[in-house]
Amino acid sequence: MRLIAKKYIIPFILISSLFFVWGFARAVLDVLNKHFQDFLSISISQSALVQGTTYLGYFLMALPAGIMITRWGYRAGVVTGLSLFAAGAFLFIPGEYFLSFPIFLTALFIIGCGLAILETAANPYATELGPPETASSRLNLAQSLNGLGCILGPVIVGGFLFARKGNSVALPYSIMGAAVAVAAVIFSRVKLPEIAREGNEESNEEEESETSNSLAAQIKSLWGSGLFRAGVITLFFYEIAEISINSLFINYVIDSGWMDKAGASALLSFGALTLFMFARIIGSAVMSRIRAVKVLFICGVGATVGALAVAFCSGIAAAAGLFACYLFEAIMFPTIFAITIAGVKTNVKIASSFLMMTPIGGAVGTLLMGMIADTVNISTAFIVPAIAYCAVIIYARRYKDK
Protein backbone atom coordinates (compact mmCIF):
# COMPACT_ATOMS: atom_id res chain seq x y z
CA MET A 1 0.00 0.00 0.00
CA ARG A 2 1.37 3.44 -0.97
CA LEU A 3 2.51 5.49 2.04
CA ILE A 4 1.99 8.85 0.29
CA ALA A 5 -0.45 9.51 -2.54
CA LYS A 6 1.59 10.24 -5.68
CA LYS A 7 -0.11 13.57 -6.35
CA TYR A 8 0.72 14.78 -2.84
CA ILE A 9 4.46 13.99 -2.76
CA ILE A 10 5.53 17.65 -3.24
CA PRO A 11 3.07 18.99 -0.60
CA PHE A 12 4.29 16.25 1.77
CA ILE A 13 7.92 17.31 1.27
CA LEU A 14 7.06 20.97 1.82
CA ILE A 15 4.96 20.39 4.93
CA SER A 16 7.51 17.93 6.34
CA SER A 17 10.17 20.68 6.24
CA LEU A 18 8.17 22.46 8.95
CA PHE A 19 8.65 19.51 11.30
CA PHE A 20 12.37 20.31 11.23
CA VAL A 21 11.65 23.94 12.19
CA TRP A 22 9.78 23.24 15.40
CA GLY A 23 12.01 20.29 16.27
CA PHE A 24 15.01 22.63 16.19
CA ALA A 25 13.19 25.38 18.10
CA ARG A 26 11.84 23.11 20.83
CA ALA A 27 15.18 21.35 21.33
CA VAL A 28 16.97 24.68 21.81
CA LEU A 29 14.73 25.27 24.85
CA ASP A 30 16.58 22.48 26.62
CA VAL A 31 19.84 24.39 26.11
CA LEU A 32 18.24 27.67 27.23
CA ASN A 33 17.14 25.99 30.45
CA LYS A 34 20.74 25.42 31.55
CA HIS A 35 22.06 28.61 29.93
CA PHE A 36 19.63 30.86 31.81
CA GLN A 37 20.37 29.06 35.10
CA ASP A 38 24.00 30.15 34.75
CA PHE A 39 23.60 33.38 32.75
CA LEU A 40 20.82 34.85 34.92
CA SER A 41 21.58 32.95 38.17
CA ILE A 42 18.17 31.29 38.51
CA SER A 43 17.17 27.89 39.96
CA ILE A 44 16.07 24.79 38.03
CA SER A 45 12.44 25.36 38.98
CA GLN A 46 12.66 29.01 37.90
CA SER A 47 14.17 28.05 34.57
CA ALA A 48 11.10 25.86 34.02
CA LEU A 49 9.43 29.11 32.95
CA VAL A 50 11.34 28.73 29.68
CA GLN A 51 9.13 25.77 28.85
CA GLY A 52 6.17 27.21 30.73
CA THR A 53 5.83 30.38 28.67
CA THR A 54 6.55 28.63 25.36
CA TYR A 55 3.93 25.96 25.90
CA LEU A 56 1.47 28.46 27.32
CA GLY A 57 1.66 29.93 23.82
CA TYR A 58 0.71 26.51 22.44
CA PHE A 59 -2.21 26.23 24.84
CA LEU A 60 -3.67 29.67 24.16
CA MET A 61 -3.06 29.78 20.39
CA ALA A 62 -4.01 26.24 19.35
CA LEU A 63 -7.78 26.71 19.14
CA PRO A 64 -7.57 30.10 17.35
CA ALA A 65 -5.11 28.41 14.99
CA GLY A 66 -7.61 25.67 14.19
CA ILE A 67 -10.33 28.23 13.48
CA MET A 68 -7.99 30.31 11.30
CA ILE A 69 -6.79 27.29 9.29
CA THR A 70 -10.38 26.17 8.76
CA ARG A 71 -11.32 29.60 7.41
CA TRP A 72 -8.27 30.44 5.33
CA GLY A 73 -6.51 27.14 4.73
CA TYR A 74 -3.27 25.41 5.63
CA ARG A 75 -0.99 27.85 3.77
CA ALA A 76 -2.32 30.85 5.71
CA GLY A 77 -1.66 28.99 8.94
CA VAL A 78 1.89 28.11 7.92
CA VAL A 79 2.76 31.68 6.88
CA THR A 80 1.25 33.16 10.05
CA GLY A 81 3.06 30.64 12.26
CA LEU A 82 6.42 31.29 10.61
CA SER A 83 5.92 35.07 10.88
CA LEU A 84 5.20 34.87 14.61
CA PHE A 85 8.23 32.64 15.10
CA ALA A 86 10.44 35.22 13.36
CA ALA A 87 9.01 38.08 15.45
CA GLY A 88 9.66 36.22 18.70
CA ALA A 89 13.20 35.27 17.66
CA PHE A 90 14.14 38.89 16.88
CA LEU A 91 12.85 39.91 20.33
CA PHE A 92 15.88 38.12 21.80
CA ILE A 93 17.95 41.15 20.71
CA PRO A 94 16.38 43.60 23.22
CA GLY A 95 16.14 40.77 25.76
CA GLU A 96 19.91 40.37 25.73
CA TYR A 97 20.54 44.12 25.60
CA PHE A 98 18.55 44.70 28.78
CA LEU A 99 19.47 41.30 30.33
CA SER A 100 15.75 40.87 30.97
CA PHE A 101 14.31 37.44 31.73
CA PRO A 102 10.74 38.78 31.24
CA ILE A 103 11.62 39.94 27.70
CA PHE A 104 13.15 36.55 26.92
CA LEU A 105 9.99 34.87 28.23
CA THR A 106 7.80 37.17 26.12
CA ALA A 107 9.87 36.24 23.07
CA LEU A 108 9.45 32.54 23.84
CA PHE A 109 5.70 32.99 24.32
CA ILE A 110 5.41 34.54 20.84
CA ILE A 111 7.53 31.75 19.37
CA GLY A 112 5.26 29.23 21.12
CA CYS A 113 2.21 30.85 19.51
CA GLY A 114 3.85 30.55 16.10
CA LEU A 115 4.83 26.93 16.64
CA ALA A 116 1.30 26.09 17.80
CA ILE A 117 -0.10 27.33 14.48
CA LEU A 118 2.55 25.40 12.51
CA GLU A 119 1.89 22.14 14.33
CA THR A 120 -1.89 22.55 14.22
CA ALA A 121 -1.60 22.83 10.44
CA ALA A 122 1.15 20.35 9.66
CA ASN A 123 0.26 17.32 11.81
CA PRO A 124 -3.25 16.66 10.45
CA TYR A 125 -2.18 17.69 6.93
CA ALA A 126 0.50 14.97 6.92
CA THR A 127 -2.02 12.33 8.03
CA GLU A 128 -4.34 13.21 5.12
CA LEU A 129 -1.79 12.87 2.29
CA GLY A 130 -2.37 9.17 1.67
CA PRO A 131 -4.45 6.14 2.67
CA PRO A 132 -5.94 6.28 6.19
CA GLU A 133 -4.43 2.86 6.98
CA THR A 134 -0.90 4.31 6.74
CA ALA A 135 -1.57 7.59 8.54
CA SER A 136 0.49 6.64 11.62
CA SER A 137 3.46 5.56 9.48
CA ARG A 138 3.20 8.71 7.35
CA LEU A 139 3.15 11.02 10.36
CA ASN A 140 6.04 9.15 11.99
CA LEU A 141 8.01 9.58 8.75
CA ALA A 142 7.34 13.33 8.69
CA GLN A 143 8.18 13.53 12.39
CA SER A 144 11.60 12.06 11.58
CA LEU A 145 12.58 15.50 10.28
CA ASN A 146 11.40 16.82 13.62
CA GLY A 147 13.96 14.45 15.12
CA LEU A 148 16.69 15.84 12.87
CA GLY A 149 15.86 19.36 14.06
CA CYS A 150 16.01 18.12 17.65
CA ILE A 151 19.50 16.72 17.02
CA LEU A 152 20.92 19.85 15.44
CA GLY A 153 19.34 22.37 17.85
CA PRO A 154 21.29 21.51 21.03
CA VAL A 155 24.60 20.80 19.30
CA ILE A 156 24.59 24.00 17.23
CA VAL A 157 23.13 26.46 19.73
CA GLY A 158 24.43 24.64 22.81
CA GLY A 159 27.88 24.28 21.29
CA PHE A 160 27.91 28.03 20.62
CA LEU A 161 26.57 29.16 24.01
CA PHE A 162 28.66 26.76 26.09
CA ALA A 163 31.89 27.11 24.09
CA ARG A 164 32.84 30.37 25.77
CA LYS A 165 31.28 32.30 28.64
CA GLY A 166 29.51 35.42 27.44
CA ASN A 167 28.56 34.23 23.95
CA SER A 168 25.43 35.99 22.69
CA VAL A 169 22.12 34.12 22.90
CA ALA A 170 20.59 36.76 20.60
CA LEU A 171 22.86 35.79 17.69
CA PRO A 172 21.55 32.24 17.06
CA TYR A 173 17.97 33.42 17.54
CA SER A 174 18.49 36.29 15.08
CA ILE A 175 19.78 33.79 12.50
CA MET A 176 16.77 31.56 13.15
CA GLY A 177 14.45 34.54 12.81
CA ALA A 178 15.94 35.52 9.45
CA ALA A 179 15.77 31.94 8.11
CA VAL A 180 12.17 31.50 9.20
CA ALA A 181 11.18 34.87 7.72
CA VAL A 182 12.56 33.70 4.36
CA ALA A 183 10.59 30.46 4.73
CA ALA A 184 7.42 32.49 5.35
CA VAL A 185 7.94 34.34 2.07
CA ILE A 186 8.50 31.05 0.21
CA PHE A 187 5.36 29.44 1.64
CA SER A 188 3.33 32.55 0.80
CA ARG A 189 4.09 31.85 -2.85
CA VAL A 190 3.45 28.10 -3.05
CA LYS A 191 0.15 26.26 -3.12
CA LEU A 192 -0.79 23.70 -0.50
CA PRO A 193 -3.91 21.90 -1.75
CA GLU A 194 -6.72 21.54 0.78
CA ILE A 195 -7.51 17.87 1.37
CA ALA A 196 -11.08 16.58 1.68
CA ARG A 197 -11.56 13.22 3.36
CA GLU A 198 -13.00 10.49 1.20
CA GLY A 199 -16.77 10.71 1.25
CA ASN A 200 -16.71 14.34 2.29
CA GLU A 201 -17.69 16.49 -0.68
CA GLU A 202 -17.93 19.76 1.22
CA SER A 203 -16.19 22.69 -0.43
CA ASN A 204 -13.93 25.04 1.49
CA GLU A 205 -16.67 27.66 1.51
CA GLU A 206 -19.18 25.25 3.02
CA GLU A 207 -16.65 24.18 5.62
CA GLU A 208 -15.98 27.82 6.54
CA SER A 209 -19.70 28.46 6.94
CA GLU A 210 -20.12 25.38 9.06
CA THR A 211 -17.24 26.40 11.28
CA SER A 212 -18.46 29.94 11.83
CA ASN A 213 -22.05 28.92 12.48
CA SER A 214 -21.61 25.78 14.55
CA LEU A 215 -18.18 25.86 16.17
CA ALA A 216 -19.72 25.16 19.56
CA ALA A 217 -21.62 22.19 18.12
CA GLN A 218 -18.45 20.80 16.57
CA ILE A 219 -16.53 21.16 19.82
CA LYS A 220 -19.37 19.46 21.69
CA SER A 221 -19.33 16.63 19.16
CA LEU A 222 -15.57 16.20 19.49
CA TRP A 223 -15.62 16.05 23.27
CA GLY A 224 -18.50 13.62 23.11
CA SER A 225 -16.11 11.08 21.59
CA GLY A 226 -14.39 8.87 24.15
CA LEU A 227 -11.50 8.22 21.76
CA PHE A 228 -10.93 11.94 21.24
CA ARG A 229 -11.01 12.72 24.98
CA ALA A 230 -8.61 9.87 25.65
CA GLY A 231 -6.29 11.06 22.89
CA VAL A 232 -6.10 14.59 24.30
CA ILE A 233 -5.51 13.36 27.85
CA THR A 234 -2.88 10.83 26.76
CA LEU A 235 -0.97 13.37 24.68
CA PHE A 236 -1.01 15.72 27.67
CA PHE A 237 0.66 13.05 29.81
CA TYR A 238 3.06 12.13 27.01
CA GLU A 239 4.19 15.75 26.76
CA ILE A 240 4.78 15.79 30.53
CA ALA A 241 7.26 12.96 30.04
CA GLU A 242 8.97 13.92 26.80
CA ILE A 243 9.47 17.64 27.39
CA SER A 244 10.46 17.38 31.05
CA ILE A 245 13.11 14.71 30.32
CA ASN A 246 14.57 16.82 27.51
CA SER A 247 14.51 19.92 29.71
CA LEU A 248 16.54 18.33 32.50
CA PHE A 249 18.75 16.05 30.41
CA ILE A 250 21.76 18.41 30.56
CA ASN A 251 21.27 18.96 34.30
CA TYR A 252 21.05 15.20 34.88
CA VAL A 253 24.21 14.45 32.89
CA ILE A 254 26.19 17.18 34.68
CA ASP A 255 24.91 16.22 38.16
CA SER A 256 25.78 12.57 37.46
CA GLY A 257 29.35 13.61 36.70
CA TRP A 258 29.37 12.29 33.14
CA MET A 259 30.67 15.46 31.45
CA ASP A 260 30.54 19.27 31.33
CA LYS A 261 27.84 21.50 29.79
CA ALA A 262 29.21 21.39 26.25
CA GLY A 263 29.61 17.61 26.38
CA ALA A 264 26.12 17.16 27.83
CA SER A 265 24.64 19.29 25.05
CA ALA A 266 26.46 17.20 22.44
CA LEU A 267 25.29 13.98 24.12
CA LEU A 268 21.71 15.21 24.02
CA SER A 269 22.04 15.82 20.27
CA PHE A 270 24.19 12.96 19.04
CA GLY A 271 23.11 10.42 21.62
CA ALA A 272 19.58 10.78 22.93
CA LEU A 273 17.94 12.75 20.11
CA THR A 274 19.71 10.84 17.34
CA LEU A 275 18.36 7.64 18.89
CA PHE A 276 14.94 9.32 19.05
CA MET A 277 15.04 10.21 15.33
CA PHE A 278 16.09 6.75 14.15
CA ALA A 279 13.52 5.14 16.42
CA ARG A 280 10.82 7.16 14.62
CA ILE A 281 12.11 6.07 11.21
CA ILE A 282 12.20 2.43 12.30
CA GLY A 283 8.81 2.80 13.99
CA SER A 284 7.31 4.11 10.75
CA ALA A 285 8.49 1.00 8.94
CA VAL A 286 7.40 -1.37 11.71
CA MET A 287 3.90 0.10 11.89
CA SER A 288 3.39 -0.50 8.18
CA ARG A 289 3.46 -4.21 9.10
CA ILE A 290 2.33 -4.35 12.74
CA ARG A 291 -0.73 -2.57 14.11
CA ALA A 292 0.23 0.83 15.46
CA VAL A 293 -1.60 0.43 18.76
CA LYS A 294 0.29 -2.79 19.54
CA VAL A 295 3.63 -1.07 18.94
CA LEU A 296 2.41 1.82 21.12
CA PHE A 297 1.68 -0.53 24.03
CA ILE A 298 5.13 -2.14 23.87
CA CYS A 299 6.80 1.27 23.72
CA GLY A 300 4.74 2.53 26.67
CA VAL A 301 5.96 -0.35 28.82
CA GLY A 302 9.57 0.11 27.68
CA ALA A 303 9.60 3.85 28.41
CA THR A 304 8.03 3.38 31.85
CA VAL A 305 10.66 0.82 32.81
CA GLY A 306 13.38 3.15 31.53
CA ALA A 307 12.17 6.12 33.61
CA LEU A 308 11.92 3.96 36.74
CA ALA A 309 15.49 2.74 36.16
CA VAL A 310 16.72 6.35 36.17
CA ALA A 311 14.73 7.13 39.32
CA PHE A 312 15.81 4.11 41.38
CA CYS A 313 19.08 2.85 39.88
CA SER A 314 22.51 4.30 39.22
CA GLY A 315 25.46 3.78 36.93
CA ILE A 316 24.94 1.79 33.72
CA ALA A 317 21.37 0.81 34.62
CA ALA A 318 20.34 4.46 35.02
CA ALA A 319 22.11 5.47 31.80
CA ALA A 320 20.41 2.63 29.91
CA GLY A 321 17.07 3.67 31.38
CA LEU A 322 17.56 7.29 30.27
CA PHE A 323 18.26 6.31 26.66
CA ALA A 324 15.45 3.74 26.75
CA CYS A 325 13.04 6.62 27.34
CA TYR A 326 14.14 8.21 24.06
CA LEU A 327 14.04 4.91 22.19
CA PHE A 328 10.54 3.94 23.25
CA GLU A 329 8.85 7.35 23.39
CA ALA A 330 9.82 8.26 19.82
CA ILE A 331 6.68 6.93 18.11
CA MET A 332 4.23 7.97 20.82
CA PHE A 333 3.15 11.47 19.78
CA PRO A 334 2.57 10.85 16.04
CA THR A 335 0.94 7.48 16.71
CA ILE A 336 -1.51 8.75 19.34
CA PHE A 337 -2.22 11.83 17.21
CA ALA A 338 -2.92 9.76 14.08
CA ILE A 339 -5.14 7.23 15.88
CA THR A 340 -7.13 10.02 17.51
CA ILE A 341 -7.52 12.04 14.30
CA ALA A 342 -8.62 8.91 12.42
CA GLY A 343 -11.60 8.64 14.76
CA VAL A 344 -12.70 12.25 14.25
CA LYS A 345 -15.94 12.63 12.29
CA THR A 346 -16.13 16.44 12.25
CA ASN A 347 -13.63 19.25 11.53
CA VAL A 348 -10.13 17.75 11.63
CA LYS A 349 -8.51 21.19 11.96
CA ILE A 350 -10.46 22.00 15.12
CA ALA A 351 -9.66 18.55 16.49
CA SER A 352 -5.98 19.14 15.77
CA SER A 353 -6.08 22.44 17.63
CA PHE A 354 -7.20 20.72 20.84
CA LEU A 355 -4.53 18.06 20.43
CA MET A 356 -1.93 20.82 20.02
CA MET A 357 -2.89 22.34 23.37
CA THR A 358 -1.31 19.34 25.06
CA PRO A 359 2.34 20.55 25.05
CA ILE A 360 1.31 22.63 28.07
CA GLY A 361 1.84 19.31 29.84
CA GLY A 362 5.55 19.81 29.23
CA ALA A 363 5.47 22.98 31.29
CA VAL A 364 3.73 21.11 34.11
CA GLY A 365 6.18 18.21 33.94
CA THR A 366 9.26 20.44 33.83
CA LEU A 367 8.04 22.43 36.84
CA LEU A 368 7.30 19.25 38.83
CA MET A 369 10.66 17.69 37.96
CA GLY A 370 12.44 20.96 38.73
CA MET A 371 10.81 21.21 42.16
CA ILE A 372 11.75 17.61 42.99
CA ALA A 373 15.28 18.15 41.69
CA ASP A 374 15.70 21.29 43.81
CA THR A 375 14.32 19.69 46.99
CA VAL A 376 15.35 16.00 46.70
CA ASN A 377 17.55 15.10 43.72
CA ILE A 378 17.30 15.01 39.96
CA SER A 379 17.17 11.19 39.72
CA THR A 380 14.08 10.97 41.92
CA ALA A 381 12.41 13.52 39.64
CA PHE A 382 12.14 10.83 36.95
CA ILE A 383 9.18 9.40 38.84
CA VAL A 384 7.17 12.13 37.08
CA PRO A 385 7.72 10.82 33.51
CA ALA A 386 7.37 7.23 34.72
CA ILE A 387 3.84 7.99 35.91
CA ALA A 388 3.09 9.93 32.72
CA TYR A 389 4.11 7.03 30.46
CA CYS A 390 1.55 4.84 32.24
CA ALA A 391 -1.18 6.91 30.56
CA VAL A 392 0.15 5.75 27.19
CA ILE A 393 -0.07 2.11 28.30
CA ILE A 394 -3.67 2.61 29.44
CA TYR A 395 -4.59 4.30 26.14
CA ALA A 396 -3.04 1.49 24.08
CA ARG A 397 -4.81 -1.20 26.08
CA ARG A 398 -8.16 0.55 26.02
CA TYR A 399 -8.10 1.11 22.26
CA LYS A 400 -6.26 -2.07 21.28
CA ASP A 401 -8.73 -2.74 18.46
CA LYS A 402 -8.09 0.59 16.72
Side-chain angles (χ1 to χ4, degrees):
M1 182 177 293
R2 183 179 290 273
L3 183 63
I4 305 164
K6 188 174 182 180
K7 63 180 178 179
Y8 294 138
I9 289 177
I10 298 301
F12 181 80
I13 292 172
L14 288 172
I15 209 72
S16 293
S17 68
L18 299 176
F19 287 74
F20 175 88
V21 171
W22 74 69
F24 191 98
R26 288 175 60 161
V28 171
L29 297 179
D30 308 324
V31 172
L32 287 183
N33 232 314
K34 182 58 179 174
H35 175 71
F36 283 145
Q37 288 168 30
D38 299 335
F39 182 58
L40 300 174
S41 300
I42 59 177
S43 68
I44 294 176
S45 54
Q46 287 175 315
S47 72
L49 288 172
V50 168
Q51 273 74 20
T53 53
T54 304
Y55 295 119
L56 179 62
Y58 270 80
F59 183 77
L60 295 178
M61 183 55 70
L63 184 56
I67 296 171
M68 179 185 70
I69 294 165
T70 299
R71 285 182 175 275
W72 293 297
Y74 287 109
R75 184 174 68 172
V78 168
V79 173
T80 303
L82 290 171
S83 299
L84 282 173
F85 184 112
F90 289 131
L91 197 56
F92 266 69
I93 297 173
E96 183 167 89
Y97 181 81
F98 293 106
L99 289 180
S100 170
F101 194 40
I103 293 179
F104 284 128
L105 294 179
T106 301
L108 290 170
F109 174 78
I110 295 171
I111 290 173
C113 289
L115 294 180
I117 300 173
L118 289 180
E119 292 203 50
T120 301
N123 280 301
Y125 195 69
T127 67
E128 298 289 327
L129 296 175
E133 296 80 5
T134 58
S136 292
S137 293
R138 191 162 47 253
L139 188 52
N140 270 282
L141 179 61
Q143 287 274 2
S144 298
L145 280 178
N146 173 274
L148 180 61
C150 288
I151 292 170
L152 295 179
V155 72
I156 293 175
V157 179
F160 174 76
L161 292 179
F162 298 147
R164 183 171 61 86
K165 187 175 181 180
N167 274 351
S168 168
V169 71
L171 178 59
Y173 268 90
S174 296
I175 295 172
M176 278 192 278
V180 167
V182 171
V185 173
I186 293 172
F187 270 93
S188 71
R189 297 177 179 272
V190 300
K191 183 177 181 180
L192 293 178
E194 295 295 312
I195 312 300
R197 287 193 169 188
E198 187 175 349
N200 182 2
E201 304 299 331
E202 288 183 308
S203 66
N204 288 342
E205 291 79 9
E206 288 170 332
E207 187 174 299
E208 289 176 15
S209 176
E210 179 185 340
T211 300
S212 61
N213 293 330
S214 59
L215 178 61
Q218 290 188 53
I219 292 174
K220 183 178 179 180
S221 175
L222 281 173
W223 286 99
S225 165
L227 175 61
F228 180 76
R229 291 196 305 271
V232 172
I233 293 169
T234 306
L235 281 182
F236 174 82
F237 278 98
Y238 164 76
E239 298 285 15
I240 287 177
E242 187 221 341
I243 293 172
S244 60
I245 291 175
N246 284 342
S247 300
L248 297 187
F249 182 94
I250 294 175
N251 284 96
Y252 178 81
V253 169
I254 293 171
D255 287 358
S256 298
W258 296 0
M259 54 192 69
D260 61 13
K261 290 185 292 185
S265 180
L267 182 63
L268 176 60
S269 287
F270 295 123
L273 295 174
T274 297
L275 178 63
F276 184 88
M277 182 187 73
F278 281 109
R280 271 195 173 157
I281 295 172
I282 295 169
S284 176
V286 168
M287 286 187 290
S288 66
R289 295 171 174 81
I290 302 175
R291 291 176 62 249
V293 73
K294 184 175 182 180
V295 178
L296 183 65
F297 175 77
I298 294 170
C299 288
V301 173
T304 303
V305 171
L308 290 173
V310 180
F312 297 110
C313 300
S314 59
I316 295 177
L322 179 60
F323 284 94
C325 291
Y326 285 89
L327 173 66
F328 290 111
E329 76 178 13
I331 60 95
M332 289 181 183
F333 180 90
T335 303
I336 297 166
F337 189 99
I339 292 172
T340 304
I341 284 292
V344 169
K345 304 302 181 184
T346 184
N347 194 317
V348 170
K349 297 165 187 173
I350 299 299
S352 175
S353 69
F354 281 107
L355 292 171
M356 289 319 307
M357 289 181 176
T358 59
I360 193 69
V364 175
T366 303
L367 178 60
L368 289 174
M369 286 191 74
M371 292 171 64
I372 296 173
D374 284 336
T375 57
V376 186
N377 60 62
I378 198 163
S379 296
T380 304
F382 275 77
I383 293 174
V384 173
I387 294 171
Y389 286 133
C390 290
V392 177
I393 298 173
I394 294 169
Y395 176 88
R397 288 300 297 170
R398 183 174 180 181
Y399 296 102
K400 60 184 178 181
D401 296 326
K402 294 295 181 182

